[in-house]
Amino acid sequence: MNKQLIILALGATMVASCADDFDRSYEVGRPDKVEQYAYLNDYKPLKEYLANPNMKLGVGTDIQNYMKQELVYGLVNSNFTEVVAGNEMKMSSCVKDNGEMDFGNVQQFVNMATDAGLSVYGHTLAWHSQQPAKYLNSLLKDKELDIDPDAVEEREVYSVDWTKADSYTMWGQFPEAITTTPSVDSENGLTVATTGTIPNFWELQYMVADGISLQGGKNYILRVEIKGDPASENLHFAIGPWGADIKAGVLDFTTEWETRDIAFTAADDVSGVHVLFQSGDYAGTYNIRSVTVYSLEPLALEVEQEVKVQTYTDGPFPFYPMGCEPPVIDGCIHFEPTPTGDWSQFFVVPGGENPLDEGDYMIYLDLTADKAADGVQLTIQNGWGGDAQNLTMPVSVEAGQHNIPLRFSGVVGGNYDIILKPQTADATLDLRSVTINKIVKMNSIPLTDEEKKDTLTWAMGRWIEGMMNACDGKVKAWDVVNEPISGTDADGDGYYDLQHESDNTGDFFWQNYLGDVDYVRTAVKFARQFGPEDVKLFINDYNLEYDWDASGNKKLESLIHWISVWEQNGTKIDGIGSQMHISYYMNAAEQQKRQQLLENSFRLMAATGKLVRISELDMGLVDANGKDVNTVDVTEEQHKAMAEYYKWIIQKYLEIVPQAQQWGITQWCITDSPADSGWRKGQPTGLWDQNYNRKHTYAGFADGLQSK
């Protein structure tokens, strides 16, 4: 019989009416090998061998080929009672990167198949693979803050506390006729006393702050804590480097401690900025406790991102020598006061290993001191020439161990040496580590775990509702969760854990956010809420018929355990789907082992009382050396051995699984896999060959169904 002529006739028939029954006479054995394959012509379509009228005989198909209403459409409708979409009902096929859902193909497929008298099995509602990962991850991005775009926050860039100074050491000029050098004490800070006035107020002037670095274009506030007797409204000040005032004017004060703010803007980047008070026209006494400069920054959340943690190994000083070379003892650079005095300094982080980008940084010193000490500094510098940036901060050293935070603002970037300068401090210091964190400004904050769970629960509900609405109640059974079980038992409870990670960047593990228990319960809840009233829900997984360890069938036992956990709150799971992507082994001992485990898997699933479904049955061939055999190399005898294995599997299913629990069997591959296929490429997976001729495995499958 010439199959090609029949296919042409089928095409003409389909043009006339897609709903007409198809001529089944094209389903034959290979016409080029009549002697070996002619017996296959006597077999009826597979579905006619079903003894259990409630049992489904399914097949996996590419819906695009099915919806052409050509050969695949006719073959599926003739031989099977149930059809499963290979990919098109998975989430990534229906949900775009922006979250938009398109169920056009699903609706067309479901309507076409059900109109042809088939049931459609849904594959799959929840899975970690073939997910719209870009969309789902976008739902978990940081939450935007509702911030006034004009709002700012104050960031300290300079401060001097005159109550902690030992003496006045800055520059000033003090006419002897009316004043002396300012005094300093812990109560009143800096005290300026005058007995009269002079014609030129600027001839009495002195710095109250010095060495300030400013950034061009940035707004600042100078804040002074001041009082005086008598009060005044005209205390002159000037802010700027020598020869270029940035801001000049007057401020007022009363007889009580108050703060005064002076706003100004730096036109250019400038360093060496000072604050001068000029009071030659004031007679009396006034006090200044503190002078602080703040930059006004756009309001934003700051987070710290770790750049480097420097630790030390016992031994001699590990870096280039400077003023002193303290050894490393017990994991700490151990510094004891040395005769080098002002020159006592040493590297704590060498430059070159971790360049710093432009920005602001927090540096934490894990430092232990035997007593409090003054004069310790930390310097960071990106080189040693005249153009190098050199930033220095005082280190507040108290007795005991402390993680001392130091903020360095305005880092321009480069390879920074970090140098600790004990100088004349007489304390013994032990530095265990230096941590460098970059300060990143953000106008958003990460979602909490609960917010992520809530968001993904919404997304899962939206997806399942959309799919169920598209199917219009016509899809009565689903893989509600696909492939949840891993092959590892990390917590040691005797059962494999759920899958949580893979090397595939396209995967999205819902269970990482919903939790191992609520992941499945949530999918079941929405499937029952939005699906048809009589919907049946299966958990589908692979390698349930094989042992991953010496105990045998542990993955299936783990799945059964997890089902009992998921069902503890009233969640109902109707059935178990066993994928059974198997092979026939030419090694007799290995084949016998596989058959024993497969048979045991049927017994374990039947014992649950749940529906049992062989969900994705296909078969390859493995030679005696454990290597896959391609279709072109399979002998006639090996084809027949595979047919006998199909027959045995189906007979065991019908024998062991009670009829009331027999949901059905789905053959995953109609034909042998092409050499360029993404699934078991080049392998003899089908009941038909690639030319749609029946194979010996067709007979084995049919014989199994009729227990022949």
Side-chain angles (χ1 to χ4, degrees):
M1 188 174 295
N2 192 315
K3 175 171 66 67
Q4 285 75 19
L5 291 178
I6 296 297
I7 292 173
L8 293 175
L10 286 173
T13 302
M14 285 181 280
V15 170
S17 173
C18 292
D20 290 345
D21 289 335
F22 282 80
D23 187 343
R24 297 171 179 166
S25 59
Y26 67 89
E27 298 178 297
V28 299
R30 291 178 58 177
D32 61 328
K33 291 190 175 183
V34 175
E35 183 177 343
Q36 298 99 319
Y37 288 88
Y39 78 100
L40 293 172
N41 300 347
D42 297 329
Y43 276 85
K44 297 180 290 187
L46 291 176
K47 67 182 181 182
E48 297 189 26
Y49 295 110
L50 282 171
N52 178 358
N54 296 317
M55 178 175 150
K56 309 291 192 299
L57 185 61
V59 67
T61 185
D62 168 58
I63 71 172
Q64 298 299 330
N65 280 332
Y66 181 84
M67 291 191 301
K68 291 177 182 177
Q69 293 187 304
E70 297 174 354
L71 179 57
V72 170
Y73 177 84
L75 186 149
V76 168
N77 292 351
S78 296
N79 284 275
F80 300 95
T81 65
E82 185 172 78
V83 64
V84 185
N87 290 304
E88 290 86 349
M89 293 178 79
K90 294 169 183 173
M91 192 175 180
S92 63
S93 297
C94 304
V95 181
K96 301 176 183 178
D97 286 346
N98 63 359
E100 180 184 341
M101 296 191 293
D102 181 358
F103 296 105
N105 285 337
V106 171
Q107 290 172 315
Q108 185 179 353
F109 168 64
V110 169
N111 290 335
M112 186 178 292
T114 54
D115 287 347
L118 299 177
S119 62
V120 176
Y121 186 94
H123 178 70
T124 174
L125 291 177
W127 194 19
H128 62 268
S129 186
Q130 289 184 254
Q131 301 297 286
K134 184 175 181 179
Y135 161 64
L136 294 172
N137 282 314
S138 74
L139 297 178
L140 303 178
K141 68 181 181 180
D142 294 348
K143 179 171 56 179
E144 295 292 328
L145 294 174
D146 186 13
I147 296 176
D148 180 351
D150 296 324
V152 294
E153 63 179 351
E154 297 177 356
R155 181 72 45 72
E156 182 181 304
V157 297
Y158 176 90
S159 181
V160 56
D161 185 346
W162 286 106
T163 66
K164 294 183 177 180
D166 294 328
S167 61
Y168 180 78
T169 57
M170 294 185 181
W171 177 89
Q173 65 180 67
F174 312 108
E176 294 181 0
I178 59 169
T179 188
T180 59
T181 301
S183 61
V184 175
D185 65 69
S186 60
E187 174 62 25
N188 293 307
L190 185 66
T191 300
V192 179
T194 64
T195 57
T197 63
I198 54 178
N200 300 320
F201 67 84
W202 61 85
E203 292 182 358
L204 167 54
Q205 56 182 338
Y206 55 96
M207 292 180 182
V208 295
D210 190 23
I212 306 168
S213 295
L214 304 176
Q215 291 180 259
K218 185 166 288 189
N219 296 322
Y220 294 88
I221 286 177
L222 171 69
R223 182 165 296 153
V224 181
E225 187 178 9
I226 188 171
K227 73 171 184 176
D229 187 13
S232 174
E233 296 182 351
N234 294 289
L235 179 62
H236 298 271
F237 70 85
I239 305 169
W242 291 115
D245 285 349
I246 296 172
K247 176 84 171 183
V250 295
L251 60 81
D252 67 289
F253 56 85
T254 70
T255 57
E256 302 295 330
W257 284 113
E258 294 178 337
T259 58
R260 294 292 182 264
D261 287 354
I262 301 167
F264 65 96
T265 301
D268 302 299
D269 291 350
V270 61
S271 59
V273 173
H274 53 247
V275 178
L276 281 175
F277 277 9
Q278 301 168 317
S279 55
D281 55 356
Y282 173 83
T285 300
Y286 59 96
N287 308 96
I288 299 170
R289 277 183 171 168
S290 64
V291 179
T292 310
V293 178
Y294 298 92
S295 64
L296 298 182
E297 306 288 348
L299 186 60
L301 180 71
E302 290 185 343
V303 296
E304 296 183 20
Q305 297 178 346
E306 185 176 288
V307 174
K308 179 180 178 64
V309 177
Q310 178 72 59
T311 57
Y312 311 101
T313 302
D314 289 2
F317 182 71
F319 307 126
Y320 187 82
M322 291 187 67
C324 57
E325 302 175 48
V328 179
I329 301 174
D330 296 330
C332 301
I333 295 181
H334 179 73
F335 171 82
E336 294 182 355
T338 66
T340 52
D342 290 344
W343 188 237
S344 293
Q345 54 184 310
F346 50 90
F347 288 108
V348 294
V349 179
E353 296 181 4
N354 292 81
L356 303 183
D357 297 328
E358 181 181 0
D360 297 346
Y361 288 82
M362 289 296 300
I363 297 180
Y364 294 90
L365 305 180
D366 185 352
L367 188 68
T368 301
D370 65 341
K371 59 183 177 180
D374 295 326
V376 180
Q377 297 178 338
L378 188 75
T379 292
I380 69 171
Q381 60 185 59
N382 63 348
W384 296 86
D387 295 332
Q389 184 182 34
N390 183 306
L391 300 175
T392 298
M393 290 287 291
V395 179
S396 177
V397 177
E398 302 292 339
Q401 183 176 5
H402 304 279
N403 200 29
I404 303 171
L406 301 168
R407 181 176 182 127
F408 287 84
S409 300
V411 171
V412 298
N415 295 318
Y416 283 80
D417 297 302
I418 302 182
I419 304 163
L420 186 64
K421 299 179 176 180
Q423 303 184 104
T424 58
D426 62 352
T428 297
L429 308 177
D430 286 283
L431 181 68
R432 183 166 298 278
S433 66
V434 177
T435 300
I436 306 171
N437 292 346
K438 186 174 183 180
I439 300 170
V440 179
K441 297 178 183 179
M442 305 177 68
N443 64 346
S444 59
I445 58 174
L447 297 181
T448 65
D449 290 344
E450 191 59 35
E451 287 172 327
K452 291 178 181 178
K453 183 175 182 179
D454 288 346
T455 299
L456 289 178
T457 298
W458 167 84
M460 181 177 284
R462 174 178 177 265
W463 147 247
I464 293 177
E465 181 181 15
M467 174 59 80
M468 292 299 187
N469 288 341
C471 294
D472 195 26
K474 296 178 181 179
V475 180
K476 305 288 188 179
W478 283 90
D479 289 330
V480 63
V481 175
N482 196 46
E483 300 179 0
I485 308 299
S486 74
T488 57
D489 177 18
D491 59 9
D493 65 351
Y495 300 103
Y496 290 146
D497 311 316
L498 264 59
Q499 296 204 62
H500 283 279
E501 59 182 19
S502 73
D503 294 331
N504 185 357
T505 56
D507 287 348
F508 184 87
F509 289 87
W510 296 81
Q511 53 268 47
N512 289 357
Y513 308 97
L514 302 183
D516 289 352
V517 175
D518 284 349
Y519 165 49
V520 175
R521 288 179 178 175
T522 301
V524 171
K525 178 186 74 172
F526 287 131
R528 297 206 183 279
Q529 177 181 342
F530 300 118
E533 212 172 293
D534 55 349
V535 70
K536 300 296 182 185
L537 303 177
F538 290 74
I539 305 293
N540 187 50
D541 218 325
Y542 61 92
N543 275 3
L544 303 183
E545 78 288 347
Y546 184 56
D547 62 331
W548 282 8
D549 57 25
S551 65
N553 295 114
K554 184 171 179 178
K555 188 173 186 183
L556 175 55
E557 291 170 350
S558 299
L559 175 56
I560 293 169
H561 162 75
W562 275 105
I563 289 174
S564 71
V565 173
W566 294 324
E567 291 189 322
Q568 286 173 8
N569 74 332
T571 296
K572 182 185 178 184
I573 293 165
D574 298 295
I576 298 173
S578 179
Q579 292 187 13
M580 294 182 63
H581 301 295
I582 59 173
S583 293
Y584 183 84
Y585 284 77
M586 300 307 297
N587 181 308
E590 182 66 23
Q591 179 62 20
Q592 182 181 11
K593 173 186 173 184
R594 300 280 177 144
Q595 290 186 211
Q596 289 173 345
L597 290 163
L598 192 152
E599 183 175 346
N600 190 51
S601 75
F602 287 148
R603 298 188 191 282
L604 289 170
M605 287 188 287
T608 67
K610 296 188 178 300
L611 296 170
V612 177
R613 177 174 180 259
I614 299 178
S615 60
E616 301 178 23
L617 179 61
D618 56 22
M619 187 183 299
L621 179 70
V622 177
D623 67 19
N625 296 317
K627 294 182 178 180
D628 291 329
V629 179
N630 288 332
T631 304
V632 295
D633 299 318
V634 180
T635 67
E636 288 295 315
E637 289 305 311
Q638 290 170 338
H639 276 299
K640 291 178 180 178
M642 293 173 67
E644 284 299 312
Y645 194 22
Y646 267 114
K647 174 181 174 180
W648 180 87
I649 291 168
I650 295 169
Q651 287 179 334
K652 284 299 178 181
Y653 173 80
L654 297 174
E655 170 194 326
I656 295 171
V657 179
Q659 189 172 96
Q661 294 175 245
Q662 293 172 7
W663 177 267
I665 301 171
T666 292
Q667 172 65 22
W668 198 238
C669 298
I670 294 175
T671 68
D672 293 337
S673 181
D676 59 352
S677 172
W679 176 253
R680 303 189 80 166
K681 64 181 180 181
Q683 294 190 36
T685 52
L687 305 183
W688 288 262
D689 65 20
Q690 289 186 41
N691 292 316
Y692 292 93
N693 297 305
R694 289 173 176 173
K695 295 172 50 182
H696 296 305
T697 50
Y698 183 97
F701 202 104
D703 291 346
L705 288 173
Q706 59 184 320
S707 295
K708 181 178 177 181

